[in-house]
Amino acid sequence: ISESLLTIKEAARILNIAKRSLYNLMARGELRFIKIGSVRRIEPSALEEYKSLHMYGPRPKVSSKDWAS
């Protein structure tokens, strides 16, 4: 594993939500996590995935030259 795993407390702080809210996201399957025994850990990429799926507002414009290979 190339990225370090976050504790529940660390992940909740990053998302600026309560730990209970983070547990609810995991229980509903909205946030991926790793369970090691009775301990849950979250990969930073899982937080980025969650944030990107729940991002609202205008998307940045992409020029047509960005699509060219």
Side-chain angles (χ1 to χ4, degrees):
I1 298 175
S2 62
E3 58 186 339
S4 60
L5 300 174
L6 301 169
T7 64
I8 297 301
K9 184 177 180 178
E10 292 168 332
R13 187 172 17 121
I14 290 169
L15 292 178
N16 198 29
I17 61 174
K19 290 192 307 184
R20 173 66 11 219
S21 297
L22 192 75
Y23 280 113
N24 288 337
L25 291 175
M26 292 186 294
R28 291 193 307 261
E30 294 183 41
L31 180 64
R32 294 183 300 111
F33 64 94
I34 296 170
K35 191 168 182 183
I36 305 168
S38 63
V39 177
R40 293 179 182 138
R41 294 289 184 256
I42 300 167
E43 293 178 326
S45 61
L47 292 183
E48 291 303 318
E49 178 183 290
Y50 174 80
K51 290 191 297 185
S52 70
L53 291 173
H54 293 84
M55 186 72 61
Y56 293 96
R59 296 184 184 264
K61 292 185 178 181
V62 178
S63 68
S64 59
K65 67 180 175 184
D66 291 336
W67 290 94
S69 297

